[in-house]
Structure formats: C-alpha cells, structure tokens
Amino acid sequence: MSEGFRLDRRRIVALAGIVVALALFGIVSSQVPGDQISTLRITYANARPVDPPLADIPLPTVATVGVVALLLIAGALYIMRGTGRDLTSIYAGVLIFATIFVILIWAISGSRTDIVDMLARMVRLATPIALGALAGILCERSGIINIAIEGLMLTGACVGFIAALLSGNSWIGMLIAILGGGTIVMVHAILSIRFKIDQIISGTVINILAVGVTGYLRANVILPLTSAGATGSTLAAIPIPLLSSIPVLGPIFFNHRPVTYLMLILIPLMHLLLFRTAWGLRTRAIGEHPRAADTMGINVIGLRYLNVFFAGMMAGLAGAWFSLEASFNFDDVMTNGRGFIALAAMIFGKWTPFGALGGALIFSSADALQIKIQGFDFALPPQFLQMLPYVITIIVLAGIIGRPRPPAAIGKPYEK
Amino acid sequence: MTTKPESPPRPGIDWRGLATSLLVSLLAIFSALVIGAGVILVTSGSASPNRSPGVCDAVGEIQSVYVLCKAYGGLFVGALGNPRAIANTLVEATPYILAGLAVALGFKCGLFNIGAEGQIIMGSMAAAVAGAMFVGLPMIIHLPLALLAGVLSGALWGAVPGFLRARTGAHEVITTIMLNYIAIRLIDYLIKGPFRDTSSSAPRTAFVAEEARLPFLFGPDYRLHAGFLIALIMAFVIWWLLNKTTIGFEIRTVGANPDAAQYAGMSITRNFVLAMAISGGLAGLAGASTVLGLEHNYKAAFTGGYGFDSIAIALLASSNPIGIIPAAMFWGALRNGAGLMQLESGISINLINIIQALVIIFVAADQIVRWIYRLPARRGTQTTLTRGWGG
Amino acid sequence: MTPVLEVRSITKRFPGVLANDKVSFTLEAGEIHAFLGENGAGKSTLMNILYGLYAPDEGEILVRGERVAIHGPTDAIRLGLGMVHQHFMLVPTLTVAENVMLGTEITSGLLLDEKQANRRVRELSEQYGLTVPPDALVQNLPVGVQQRAEIIKALYRGAEILILDEPTAVLTPQEADDLFEVIKVLRAQGKSIIFISHKLKEVLAIADRISVLRRGRMVGSALPQESTEESLAAMMVGRDVTLTVDRGAASPGAAVLAIDELVVLDDRRQRAVDGLSLEVRSGEVLGIAGVQGNGQTELVEAITGLRPTEAGHVILAGTDLTGASPRRVLDGGVAHVPEDRHRHGLVLSYPIADNMVLSTYLRPPYAHGVVIDDAAIAANAERLVEMFDVRTASAHAPASTLSGGNQQKVVVAREFTRPIKLLIASQPTRGLDVGSIEFIHKNIIQKRDEGVGVLLVSAELDEILALSDRIAVMFKGKILAVIPAEQATRHGLGLLMAGVVEEPADVIPA
C-alpha cells in the first residue's frame, strides 16, 4: 500500500475543503428558500443610521453559497493536483474565511447587514490577538516560549484599569497597563532564563498568578474604588482627518481607538525591526542558534531579557484594549483565552508580524460573525459560533493549516 | 567460580530524596503563606473603606496586622476548627485528589494537562445526565453507570489533546485550554437546551436519581460522601498502575525519554493517548463524584479553578500518587477555610489563588526555595516538559 | 621574535575531570601549529579557553607579548583571535553575509546594509580564495562551503590568529584537501593558525609544528619532518594500540537482511537514502563506511522502524518489514546499538536494571500479564552486570551515574542477550575508552561467529577496517561499492567516500 494514495496534509486539506463546501451548500439550500436574498450594505464613512447607504449588494442566498462552494471545490481540486507552488496554507485560510462568509450570508438571508461595519469590527477585534501574537513573536524569535501572554494581558487590563480609575485618565491607564505587562513578564524571564525552569511551566505560573492577583485586586481594590464613586471613560476614537472619510477604507482602517492604531502601526514596524535592523538580526540569531550568536560577542542572556520585557509591554498594551478600549470595565478572566489564540495566530503567521495579523483577522472574523449574527434569528445555537475561534485554534495548532518550523532554540535555556 | 557476589539490596524507596522533596514542598507552602501575608498587609490598609487613603500611621500598621491575624486565623478555623469543618475539608479534598492524580499522571508521561477543568466539566455533565436519565435502576447498576459516564466523557475530552500532540505536535497546554472554553460553551448549550430541567426556572439539569447518588459516610449532617473513599482508592490504583505494571512502565518511559521509548518498541501515540485518557478520566471522575455525592445536579458550568489547583497539588506531591493525598487535603483545607477568612477579615478568597500561584512557582522552581533556605541543590536533571511546538 | 600567542601553564577543572593540566605552548607568526590528541584529550577545552568561552582556573595567556584576560568572545575577537568551531557557529536560517556580519553589523542609518555586507564577503572570498555565495541561506549550502563561511566570519573581524577545531571531521578527503589549500593561502598572507585534529596523516601533511595532548596534559611536541605516524600515535595514545581485532575468517550464510531500492527522507524532507540496495548475510560483518551525513543515520532508523520509508523494501530473513513498527522489528530478531546512546539507547533516570529490560519488559519472565515482576528484572540485571563487567555499585543505580563505556555496556548487554538474527551497531564505540572499545569489538565478532548478521556503521575508518568482512561505501544516500575487506585500502575507500568512482560508466548524480 505504500505506493498508493496517501493522505498527506495537502490531500486532507483539499478533502476537507470539498466536504465543507458540499456541507455548506447542502445545509443552506435545504434551510433557505431559493428566492431569498441576502443584502450586504455598504455605508458611507461616519454615516448615521438614517443616512442612505452607499450601496446595497443583493445576493441570492442559495446561488451565492453555491458559487462559493464551487470555487472552493475548484480550489481543492487544484491543490490536490499538487503541481507548482504549495498553496495549501493559503487555501486553508481562504476556506475558513469562506465558511465564515457563507454563515453570514445564510444568517442574514431575507435581511441585510452592514458589511463595512463588520469589517471594521474585525480589525478592532483583531487588535489584542495581533498584539499578543507580536509579543509571542518577540519572545519566540529570541528562543523563549511564552504561553503567559494570556496572563500578561489580564494583568495589563487590571492594573491599567486601576490606574485609570485612580487618575481619571485612561491614557495613564494604558501606560500603566504596558508597564504592568512588562513587569510581570520579568517573573517569566527570571524563572526561565536565570533559573532555567521549564518555560511552559513558568508561563503557566504567570497565567495562574495573573488570575489570582487580578481577582484579588478586583475584589479588594477595584470594587472598593468604584463603590466609592471612582469612574473613567474608554479611550476615545480618533478619526484620522480626511482618511477616515474615504468610503469603505476609512471606517475599516482610519476610524479607531488608540490601541487599535498602535497595533496597526506596530505590525509593519516590527516587521522592519525584525528583518531589517541589527537588533532584528541578533534577535533571530539567538532564537535559532544562541551559541553562534554568543561566539560573535552577542549578549544572549541580556538580549533575551530585553526582548521578553518588550513582549510583556506589548501584551500589557493588548490588555489595555480589553479594559480601556473595548469597554471601560474589568472582569475576572475577561481575556477569555485571547492570549492562547494569539499564539495560534503567531504560529499561523509563521512567526512573522504580517502573517500574525492575517491569523488574528481569521480569529476576529469568527468573533465578528458571532457578534453580528446575534441580531438575527438563526438556526445554529450561538454557543457553537462562540466555540469557533477555539476550534480554529486547535486546527491551526494541529498543523492542518501549515506545519511551519518554529525557531530552533525555543524552550531551551541557554547554558554558557 | 560459583561465589555469587552479594547482591545489593534493591532500594525500595529513596527516603532521603523523599524527605528533601517533602521539605521543599513544606518550605514552598510556608514561603507562599508569608508572601500572602505581605499582600494582606499591603492591601488591607488601602482597601479598608473606612480609612481615608494616604494616611499611613501607626494605627494603620496595627490594623493591618489585625486583619492579617483575622485572615489566617479564619482560614485555619474554617478549615480545621471543628469536626464539621474537617469533614468539609475532606469533601473539598475529594475532587482535588482525583484531579491532582490526573495532572500527576500526565506529568509522568511528559504531558502537561492544564485542562483538567474542561474534563471535570464534561465528566460532571455526563454523570448528571446519566444519573437522571434512568428511573428505577438498582443502585448497584445505576451508580457505577453514572460514574462511568463521567469517567468516559472526561477520558474522551483528555484523549483528544493526547492524540493531537502525538500525531500533529499540537501542544497540549494550548489544546486542553481551548477545550476548556469549548466545554464551557457546550455545557452552556446543553444545560439551556436538551438537558435542561424544565421544572426549574434556573438553567440546570434534573436531579440525579437516589440510586445514582454516592452515599454520605457519616449521615447527611456531614457532607462527606463516598467519593472521598473512591479518591483514596484511586490514588493507590494509580500508584500501582504506574509502578507495578507494563502499562505504567511504558507511560513512564515515554515521559522520561520518548526517543528511547520508541527505540524500545513503545508507541508514543498510544501512550500519549492512553495517559491523557486516563488523566481525563480521573478528572471526569472528580466531576462525577462531586455531582453524584454533593450537588446531585449540574448547574451552569461551575469553574472552581480546579484545573489550576490540581497543577499545584501535583507539583507539591512531586507527582507521587500517594503524595497527592496530603497535598490535596492541604488544598482542600485552604479552599474550605477561605470562606471564613473572607467573612472574618474581608480579605478576598482570591488570596488563595495568589498563594496557589506562589506555591507553584516555589515548587516548580525548587532551586529558588533551595537557594533561599540554603538547601543542597538537587542532583540530576530538571524534568523537561516542553519540546517546542513541533512534534 | 615574540610569538603572536603564548599560553603559560593553563589549568582547567570540570567536576570530576582535569581537562587541562598546566598546558603551555607558543604560536609564531605565520605558522601552522597542529594540536593532536584523542577525543577527550582536552584540545577543545583549551581552545574554548583561548576564545573566552571558558575561564581557566590557573595560568596566563599572552598575545603579542602582552598578558591578556579573555573574558568572552568579544575580548578574543578584539585581540585578533578567530575560531572555526567543530560544530559550525552559523545560524542556518540566515544568509552567509548575515552570519558574517552578525554582532558587527554593517548598517546605513538604522537599517542593515545587506548590499555592502554582500560586497564585503565577496571581497574576502576573492582575497583568500574562499568561494561562498554571500546571499545564500546557510542551511542550503554543503558542509564544505559552510566551513568557508565560518573562516570568512573570522577574517571579517580581522582575525590574525585562526583556531580551526577538528575542521576535517565532517569533510570528505577531497574537501579536506581544498581546505588545506585555503590554510596555506592564509599562512602565506601572514595569518597564524592553530589546527586541531586527531588524524595523524593530515597533521603530518599540513603542520609546521605539532603538539600532542593526552588526558589534558601537553605530552610532547614534534616537527613533522622528524615524525612518523607511528611515533605520533605512540605519543597520543601513550601505549602502542593496534586496532586489529583477533578474528577468524567469516563463514557467511544466507541473507538475513535484504534492502531493495530503499528511499528515506530526512527531517527536512530531502532524500537522505536514495534508492539504496544492500544485503547482509548471516555470520558476516558488513561495514558501512562514509562521511557522516550521507544518510547512514536515516538508513539505520528506517531499518529499525524509527523513521518511515518512502519507497523500496526492507526484508528480514524473508519477512517484509518495510515500514514495520519498532516493536515488530525488535520481535523479528533485530538488535540495535544506537548511534546516540543517551537519546535512544538508555533512559538515564532509570535504574540499570530497568534499562536492561527496556525492550523485553512486557513478556515473561519480566511480566505476567500486565504485572511487572521486579524480582525477575533484578535477577536479570545482576546476571548481566556480572557477565558484561559493568562497573557499578549496584544494578539499581540510575544509568546516569555510569561512565560512557559502562553505559554502552548496558546497551550491549541488553541487545546482545536477546535471541537475534541481525545486529545493527551504529558508531558502537564513539567516545569510549580503549578498554571498552576492545570489549565491544570482541563481543561483536563473537555474535558474528554465532551466525548473526552484523551491520556496522562507523565514522571511524579504522573500526570499519578492523571488524568488517565486507565494506560498503555510502555516499549521498547510495551504496557506491561493496568491497571485500581484504581488497579494501584506505586510499580507495577515501576516494569512494568522496563520491569518486573509478569506472566512468557509473554516473553519480550530483
């Protein structure tokens, strides 16, 4: 049998694509009458609800799903042939997006929804995941596994919120969130670099410590403060003049709140730093072959501390998104696994900033879909849509979407 | 030529090693409690609502110490102050023993099961459903059936990450956590949907049948139920399984050196799946015993933080199945006493979570404890649980 | 004239080992000074001290007559020392130019200037005759080219003193010749070179002066024109050691192992074994010679079921075991002394007794059903400890407490005492002391004489020549030739190991 048909990754993904395409079409065509229309509305930038739309795109629900399914099957057959460049990863990404699109079309059949609003929401919701992924990239490119991002975000969210309550200024809160993440991550740095503890354990310790500390602070500091009347407000949206009034692109990219902008800036900036500067070269070297870097006079330990510290600050910033940007509020375990999802986005993006953003957008599209659909009468129980990001994370980790090679030295303490 | 050399006695137990690791565990607990006290001293001043912030005088200092005494005093009395408190400590300890065993067994196979929470949730749900589904079955069938349902669904929830780790390299630390979230959503759906008890206004399952309940050991006045005995028995069963059977030999070998295990003909996949299934099954049993012994139905996914607690317990016990018993009892005492602590001192139950994290730090990083208390460094190599994200 | 480098009385202790014991030497300008010594003689330790990677416990180092303290590679580089490590210090995912400038980056503004870095590498290439493509990823380059990149790295930093640590270990004889040409060019341009090796021939060929280390001590120095291989060997080993093994003629029988057109991929999914065919008969030793990294490891892993096969067949005594699990291969009567005993052969944290039943634990007498019989395991261990002369306080001590030689004896004891048809021994004596080597060689021949087929894989040509009845030379995943031992010469094997086949009809794919 060894010469016969083998179920390699390419074929598994292609078959999955065909099965998903057929299943989607089958379910939608059996559930939705053939004459139903799903309308995607495109609004003007900064439009009020009463304003007329820029355009309404009426899509016959069943026919659209049929076309998407056919395209997916065609793509599956193409990659099944296996000639030329390996497009499996891209196909898998497209498959997830297509599935989300089909569910959206299905859910709004006979009605309409503002698609620009959904895309803008995707960017917003991608913020903490992308920032967390950047934090992961910084650590792992330097050879340190950081599964503590969840805990760092939570800590950042909590201390940032407290600072905002005390100062009445959410910008100060954001700053403290960044510093809080940077401080707590040093526990991970010291445990894994100085004491050479298993990095998964020390990361888990941070996650557990964060749950405990933030829960304690919430009960013993935040609640007394709020009951004494301390309040504040979310970081306000800053529409970029001119750019924000461009139709479609304006609302999606240029009308956001500060943390989202910072994410949009940090992605290209990190790309530049990582691949075009001396710091980036050294960082990539200590994550792949620390001894080689050491013999060239690079301070491996010092650079690892530095990068882990930066990563912590970035995760802290992601935390600020939760408590100061998405809402002005702090809840126990409000990060809800986003730190782990960020790691999946990092892996999906092959440890590159732009790739990580792509990964983050896949997850945030699942989130945005779930939020969008809440307003519609939809057959699928909401809990199953809520599971989607977590299921996708497992799929990403299982390497179905790609089996990239992590930096070679991660997880190994550096011994002189 | 037949003078056989005196065969050296086979060392049964490494007493010295056991003594030092016990000492490290005790010192870790002690250190964590001291730091916890520090947290109370620092925050009780600023948190007490009747004092204006910024005033830091002698009265404040004394008040902080007073709060500290109240807190730890409450913790102790709440945990062990009277027979009922002790019984409750043992009740609390029951799921901890089982979940601690779950994590410890994973460690033995080189796997870090931090998703005991999800497995407990699944086990609880299955036991609740199986316990309520049948009417009129004799106890000798119904109770084991309900327990088994809990074990199997926990095992399934654990086996999936085990399989993924072995076959695809997906790290169980993330997949088990993701499965926690999935379990919570799933249970939310089941409790509000198919398995909702329609006679109740709150979303929960129906009460389990009398025949599926674990009996109370000392009557209904004391909540201590037969699940505690099951947990004790399981600790010994797992010890026997790990140390006296070929199954355990394989699990331990895969954990100690997977390459050598493969070389010796053992299947990594099989053992990863098996270890995670047993681990998940133990966690499922923890959930089932709580539902069948105590709650008698299942309400919206209770997240008691069992997943993280059980990591602390496994580390405290150095993954020794017998050592899990006292470690879990200590933990049960902490959790049980926490309520009275909060009542007496106003210090949040979350303090226990901080202490828990500190204990984990100090036990996992036992070099720190040895360094603080000038104990000799451990010989041999640090256990490595991680081999990156790849397979 | 002041020597460029002088080392006085350097001593370095590691727990339980005296790695360097009052070592002194000088290096003159424009000189090739070779250091000869067995594995573990302390050569690498000495060089790591010079490069600042270890701190010496005693002694002093003088560079151009001045006493210096070298606290790390930065100091060494500043003093004009450059090192080409035995295991290349190159980051595989970076380009040659990026590796060269790492730590001393060429930038324009804040950004790296890759163009200028490439130009600089090209300049150095031309100046010293070291051809390397500056913008190629290191992981895609052949070993010989990677080594040139290592040398350029040192030259880029202005190294005047070059330390080459076992530079030929991973090279074919022909690549080594190329390296010697480069070294001579470097000398002609005024560089001083420390050349470390345990191969007598190449030291005689290249060195201006030879120092010999043994067990951490400098035991003598010599000039190549006044030395012979024998005189150097005697100095290096301390006594006359002949690697001849006392063995009679083989009486080969039927084939126990037949490999047919086998294809195996390595970790990077390249064809490491590429359509290889081979036969091992009962009662003979078939030695596989070849430079490391030509697919030997993957071949052994594929036969033993540790690595999947892509195509072809592995047939053991008539049974097709292609793609079989390690358990089936073991049960089929295959013993395997693995290349890396710490990784595959032993569980270091386990007692010796458990290690001795690592592959037999699940059947009687060691287990009844699933229940393990501790007494039977202990009895077996005590028997084997005595039989194989494993030096240990107790059969229940962890394997990690044993010396390398005794650890290997545990592996050998376990593998040789099972009923077997085929013995696969991969680098069976690597890193062992002479006594253990002799013991293990004797046992391999004994197995052969009992009618077991032996497949021996070794990087040491001497070991291959001493034990084999037939020698197969492996190059780029294929067997180039199988030669009866009595017809094999070092020279002929060396050419084959480099991929040179005498008959022009045989076209070797590059």
Side-chain angles (χ1 to χ4, degrees):
Chain A
M1 266 310 285
S2 64
E3 315 286 327
F5 184 82
R6 261 200 230 179
L7 264 182
D8 56 7
R9 188 173 75 85
R10 192 162 44 86
R11 293 198 171 108
I12 291 174
V13 172
L15 285 177
I18 293 173
V19 169
V20 168
L22 291 175
L24 287 174
F25 182 71
I27 295 170
V28 173
S29 62
S30 69
Q31 298 279 318
V32 180
D35 56 352
Q36 285 279 41
I37 303 287
S38 303
T39 305
L40 297 180
R41 164 160 289 188
I42 297 173
T43 48
Y44 283 104
N46 309 320
R48 290 163 299 158
V50 293
D51 292 337
L54 179 67
D56 271 338
I57 306 173
L59 296 172
T61 311
V62 177
T64 308
V65 173
V67 170
V68 171
L70 278 177
L71 289 174
L72 285 177
I73 291 171
L77 294 175
Y78 180 78
I79 63 164
M80 187 100 79
R81 275 177 40 233
T83 47
R85 209 158 76 86
D86 184 10
L87 298 170
T88 318
S89 303
I90 294 168
Y91 179 77
V94 169
L95 178 61
I96 295 176
F97 274 122
T99 307
I100 286 167
F101 178 72
V102 165
I103 295 175
L104 178 74
I105 295 285
W106 174 18
I108 65 166
S109 67
S111 180
R112 64 163 176 262
T113 194
D114 183 348
I115 190 73
V116 174
D117 171 68
M118 176 158 164
L119 291 172
R121 193 196 303 272
M122 264 172 66
V123 174
R124 281 204 301 280
L125 292 173
T127 301
I129 302 173
L131 285 172
L134 282 182
I137 290 170
L138 255 178
C139 282
E140 299 213 346
R141 285 277 185 180
S142 331
I144 305 283
I145 294 179
N146 189 354
I147 61 157
I149 291 168
E150 177 82 1
L152 299 172
M153 284 184 180
L154 196 59
T155 312
C158 180
V159 297
F161 187 70
I162 292 174
L165 280 180
L166 288 172
S167 66
N169 185 332
S170 289
W171 286 92
I172 292 177
M174 187 172 94
L175 198 68
I176 296 298
I178 293 172
L179 292 176
T183 310
I184 296 293
V185 84
M186 292 321 277
V187 176
H188 178 54
I190 291 166
L191 288 180
S192 58
I193 300 172
R194 160 80 176 78
F195 286 97
K196 301 191 174 76
I197 288 174
D198 185 303
Q199 292 169 9
I200 295 271
I201 293 211
S202 90
T204 303
V205 161
I206 304 284
N207 287 333
I208 297 176
L209 191 66
V211 172
V213 167
T214 58
Y216 184 83
L217 287 176
R218 179 170 174 271
N220 285 46
V221 178
I222 293 177
L223 292 181
L225 278 171
T226 49
S227 62
T231 54
S233 58
T234 53
L235 292 158
I238 309 171
I240 309 254
L242 299 178
L243 290 179
S244 64
S245 33
I246 303 172
V248 185
L249 291 182
I252 296 176
F253 291 111
F254 302 113
N255 191 357
H256 283 297
R257 293 165 194 267
V259 181
T260 303
Y261 282 131
L262 281 172
M263 180 277 284
L264 289 172
I265 294 166
L266 279 169
I267 294 279
L269 183 67
M270 275 288 295
H271 178 86
L272 195 72
L273 289 172
L274 203 51
F275 296 109
R276 300 293 308 281
T277 67
W279 168 81
L281 184 65
R282 292 173 179 204
T283 295
R284 285 180 287 143
I286 62 168
E288 286 288 340
H289 196 335
R291 185 162 298 278
D294 192 7
T295 57
M296 289 298 103
I298 291 168
N299 183 347
V300 176
I301 302 287
L303 191 53
R304 283 189 170 173
Y305 272 117
L306 186 74
N307 289 351
V308 172
F309 178 62
F310 279 138
M313 296 209 291
M314 229 168 286
L317 177 64
W321 182 88
F322 289 95
S323 65
L324 299 172
E325 182 160 303
S327 64
F328 189 80
N329 182 30
F330 179 80
D331 269 335
D332 286 344
V333 297
M334 74 186 303
T335 46
N336 252 324
R338 290 297 182 284
F340 298 104
I341 292 175
L343 288 174
M346 168 194 79
I347 293 170
F348 176 85
K350 300 182 164 61
W351 288 264
T352 64
F354 283 108
L357 177 61
L361 285 171
I362 286 186
F363 290 110
S364 67
S365 65
D367 268 341
L369 172 76
Q370 184 264 102
I371 294 168
K372 192 85 196 169
I373 283 178
Q374 280 175 2
F376 294 88
D377 181 29
F378 188 48
L380 209 58
Q383 289 94 343
F384 288 92
L385 286 173
Q386 288 165 10
M387 285 178 202
L388 215 51
Y390 307 115
V391 175
I392 297 173
T393 301
I394 292 177
I395 292 173
V396 168
L397 287 175
I400 301 295
I401 289 180
R403 199 64 190 286
R405 206 185 55 83
I410 61 169
K412 297 172 198 145
Y414 185 63
E415 313 264 2
K416 271 268 189 185
Chain B
M1 276 301 289
T2 49
T3 49
K4 208 172 164 249
E6 196 75 30
S7 68
R10 184 176 171 89
I13 301 166
D14 175 12
W15 288 111
R16 230 186 104 93
L18 216 58
T20 39
S21 66
L22 183 68
L23 186 61
V24 167
S25 293
L26 291 175
L27 289 174
I29 292 170
F30 174 73
S31 311
L33 288 174
V34 168
I35 296 181
V39 172
I40 294 174
L41 289 178
V42 169
T43 54
S44 64
S46 70
S48 65
N50 55 353
R51 286 180 61 239
S52 53
V55 182
C56 184
D57 50 19
V59 180
E61 300 282 325
I62 292 163
Q63 189 182 336
S64 291
V65 175
Y66 176 73
V67 171
L68 175 64
C69 293
K70 276 287 195 192
Y72 279 177
L75 190 62
F76 182 78
V77 173
L80 303 166
N82 55 57
R84 182 162 288 138
I86 292 172
N88 279 337
T89 288
L90 297 183
V91 170
E92 291 278 344
T94 302
Y96 286 136
I97 294 174
L98 292 165
L101 285 171
V103 177
L105 191 110
F107 276 143
K108 290 283 184 192
C109 197
L111 294 165
F112 195 6
N113 178 11
I114 70 172
E117 190 83 29
Q119 296 142 18
I120 289 174
I121 291 172
M122 294 305 287
S124 305
M125 184 73 199
V129 170
M133 198 186 279
F134 308 100
V135 187
L137 278 181
M139 187 170 186
I140 195 137
I141 294 174
H142 202 173
L143 177 56
L145 188 75
L147 286 170
L148 192 67
V151 171
L152 287 181
S153 60
L156 177 73
W157 219 244
V160 170
F163 178 80
L164 289 174
R165 169 68 193 275
R167 276 299 164 86
T168 72
H171 205 286
E172 71 278 3
V173 165
I174 296 186
T175 52
T176 53
I177 288 270
M178 293 297 107
L179 282 170
N180 282 357
Y181 289 110
I182 293 172
I184 291 168
R185 303 296 186 282
L186 184 62
I187 297 302
D188 189 51
Y189 165 71
L190 293 175
I191 284 179
K192 290 175 180 161
F195 296 125
R196 176 167 185 165
D197 181 1
T198 43
S199 66
S200 157
S201 58
R204 61 164 176 78
T205 65
F207 279 96
V208 298
E210 288 289 340
E211 293 79 17
R213 295 182 186 183
L214 286 163
F216 290 112
L217 294 178
F218 302 104
D221 281 353
Y222 295 92
R223 295 157 69 235
L224 189 59
H225 55 85
F228 180 67
L229 293 183
I230 294 179
L232 291 184
I233 292 167
M234 285 316 292
F236 286 95
V237 168
I238 295 298
W239 176 86
W240 177 80
L241 180 84
L242 278 173
N243 295 296
K244 297 292 167 193
T245 69
T246 56
I247 300 165
F249 187 78
E250 287 202 12
I251 287 178
R252 285 187 293 121
T253 308
V254 168
N257 184 345
D259 289 320
Q262 212 178 3
Y263 156 92
M266 302 170 191
S267 158
I268 306 277
T269 305
R270 203 183 83 101
N271 280 288
F272 272 9
V273 173
L274 184 69
M276 281 301 289
I278 300 175
S279 179
L282 286 164
L285 184 59
S289 73
T290 304
V291 163
L292 302 175
L294 212 58
E295 310 279 335
H296 299 147
N297 66 14
Y298 195 52
K299 301 167 198 66
F302 61 73
T303 48
Y306 286 111
F308 288 168
D309 282 319
S310 51
I311 295 168
I313 291 162
L315 287 172
L316 268 180
S318 311
S319 299
N320 178 332
I322 307 301
I324 294 285
I325 297 171
M329 286 182 177
F330 166 73
W331 220 260
L334 273 187
R335 286 284 174 204
N336 185 35
L340 193 63
M341 174 190 81
Q342 184 167 22
L343 212 63
E344 292 267 315
S345 65
I347 292 296
S348 158
I349 290 181
N350 279 298
L351 180 72
I352 303 298
N353 288 340
I354 297 180
I355 291 176
Q356 162 205 52
L358 291 168
V359 167
I360 296 177
I361 291 181
F362 289 136
V363 180
D366 67 349
Q367 299 100 307
I368 297 179
V369 170
R370 288 170 198 271
W371 177 67
I372 295 174
Y373 297 99
R374 305 278 182 269
L375 295 183
R378 176 169 48 172
R379 286 184 308 157
T381 46
Q382 184 90 7
T383 50
T384 301
L385 296 168
T386 55
R387 285 169 197 94
W389 304 114
Chain C
M1 205 175 120
T2 337
V4 280
L5 178 71
E6 184 173 358
V7 164
R8 290 185 189 154
S9 219
I10 288 275
T11 298
K12 177 71 186 171
R13 293 179 199 90
F14 290 115
V17 187
L18 189 56
N20 285 157
D21 185 6
K22 298 199 178 65
V23 175
S24 304
F25 72 89
T26 62
L27 177 69
E28 307 293 339
E31 175 190 46
I32 301 174
H33 189 158
F35 283 79
L36 194 62
E38 281 191 302
N39 289 333
K43 300 172 307 225
S44 288
T45 305
L46 183 60
M47 297 310 141
N48 283 329
I49 288 172
L50 283 179
Y51 201 63
L53 293 171
Y54 296 146
D57 296 324
E58 287 160 34
E60 54 188 31
I61 300 167
L62 290 83
V63 174
R64 284 175 284 274
E66 268 177 63
R67 239 193 104 180
V68 294
I70 305 175
H71 296 299
T74 322
D75 290 343
I77 292 167
R78 198 169 35 74
L79 292 165
L81 281 144
M83 184 151 171
V84 173
H85 297 261
Q86 189 178 356
H87 304 287
F88 299 151
M89 291 297 162
L90 294 168
V91 183
T93 52
L94 302 181
T95 67
V96 170
E98 284 173 331
N99 267 291
V100 168
M101 67 170 161
L102 180 64
T104 331
E105 292 84 358
I106 301 175
T107 54
S108 62
L110 278 174
L111 300 185
L112 294 172
D113 191 340
E114 303 258 356
K115 271 202 189 112
Q116 211 193 318
N118 287 350
R119 200 177 316 131
R120 187 82 190 89
V121 170
R122 239 175 254 122
E123 282 167 19
L124 286 167
S125 302
E126 283 159 22
Q127 191 183 344
Y128 295 99
L130 291 153
T131 323
V132 286
D135 49 2
L137 289 181
V138 165
Q139 61 190 6
N140 299 334
L141 295 176
V143 175
V145 182
Q146 292 190 16
Q147 189 171 57
R148 292 203 281 271
E150 272 282 83
I151 297 172
I152 286 193
K153 238 169 73 179
L155 296 172
Y156 169 83
R157 287 168 174 73
E160 289 299 319
I161 302 165
L162 272 169
I163 303 168
L164 304 174
D165 189 3
E166 301 267 7
T168 58
V170 289
L171 302 182
T172 63
Q174 280 65 27
E175 278 177 322
D177 287 343
D178 291 344
L179 173 70
F180 293 159
E181 288 312 310
V182 169
I183 292 176
K184 283 173 188 158
V185 172
L186 291 168
R187 176 176 60 182
Q189 303 212 13
K191 310 283 182 197
S192 312
I193 288 145
I194 294 179
F195 182 95
I196 297 169
S197 180
H198 66 276
K199 297 183 185 165
L200 306 169
K201 279 196 188 63
E202 59 186 42
V203 165
L204 281 169
I206 189 86
D208 297 320
R209 203 143 58 98
I210 302 168
S211 293
V212 182
L213 278 169
R214 186 169 76 227
R215 293 189 183 183
R217 230 176 273 148
M218 191 67 88
V219 290
S221 69
L223 295 174
Q225 54 272 27
E226 295 166 4
S227 314
T228 63
E229 284 186 51
E230 289 70 28
S231 68
L232 290 177
M235 250 201 271
M236 187 165 102
V237 185
R239 66 176 163 113
D240 293 319
V241 176
T242 45
L243 257 180
T244 51
V245 179
D246 191 18
R247 66 194 178 104
S251 44
V256 275
L257 176 72
I259 298 171
D260 184 35
E261 293 292 320
L262 190 68
V263 177
V264 186
L265 302 186
D266 65 13
D267 293 338
R268 294 184 311 178
R269 316 255 337 130
Q270 306 298 314
R271 286 183 165 218
V273 177
D274 192 6
L276 176 145
S277 300
L278 192 67
E279 208 178 69
V280 181
R281 284 174 285 205
S282 70
E284 73 162 355
V285 176
L286 178 78
I288 293 189
V291 177
Q292 282 179 62
N294 272 293
Q296 297 97 320
T297 306
E298 287 81 4
L299 172 66
V300 169
E301 287 181 351
I303 300 172
T304 51
L306 292 169
R307 186 179 281 275
T309 55
E310 282 296 300
H313 294 280
V314 176
I315 292 155
L316 180 77
T319 317
D320 192 336
L321 284 182
T322 316
S325 68
R327 168 76 26 95
R328 268 193 65 206
V329 176
L330 287 172
D331 290 350
V334 175
H336 178 197
V337 177
E339 177 180 321
D340 183 343
R341 60 180 162 272
H342 285 176
R343 185 167 161 218
H344 283 119
L346 294 166
V347 179
L348 289 175
S349 57
Y350 274 12
I352 294 167
D354 285 356
N355 272 299
M356 284 188 166
V357 295
L358 205 57
S359 43
T360 48
Y361 61 92
L362 45 52
R363 56 178 55 99
Y366 309 120
H368 311 286
V370 298
V371 183
I372 280 179
D373 186 338
D374 285 333
I377 290 174
N380 171 64
E382 271 144 34
R383 189 170 60 87
L384 294 187
V385 161
E386 199 190 343
M387 206 161 112
F388 284 81
D389 190 29
V390 181
R391 308 282 167 83
T392 173
S394 150
H396 305 292
S400 56
T401 59
L402 299 180
S403 71
N406 283 305
Q407 286 177 345
Q408 190 73 331
K409 282 181 190 170
V410 172
V411 175
V412 166
R414 178 183 68 220
E415 296 301 311
F416 284 30
T417 50
R418 288 192 289 125
I420 54 169
K421 301 191 190 98
L422 175 71
L423 165 63
I424 300 173
S426 210
Q427 320 291 355
T429 58
R430 177 181 281 174
L432 302 190
D433 58 286
V434 175
S436 301
I437 292 175
E438 284 172 352
F439 183 85
I440 286 166
H441 282 174
K442 204 180 77 198
N443 272 278
I444 290 176
I445 293 301
Q446 193 187 328
K447 278 284 141 191
R448 181 200 74 166
D449 293 343
E450 288 170 15
V452 170
V454 180
L455 181 67
L456 170 73
V457 180
S458 176
E460 298 292 333
L461 211 45
D462 290 328
E463 181 163 78
I464 295 280
L465 285 165
L467 293 179
S468 308
D469 300 309
R470 292 189 300 144
I471 298 170
V473 181
M474 194 163 174
F475 178 74
K476 290 204 172 164
K478 289 187 163 67
I479 298 294
L480 289 193
V482 182
I483 305 164
E486 55 273 16
Q487 293 170 21
T489 62
R490 286 176 149 275
H491 176 74
L493 291 174
L495 280 174
L496 283 167
M497 284 161 69
V500 180
V501 180
E502 268 126 32
E503 295 90 336
D506 274 46
V507 180
I508 310 299

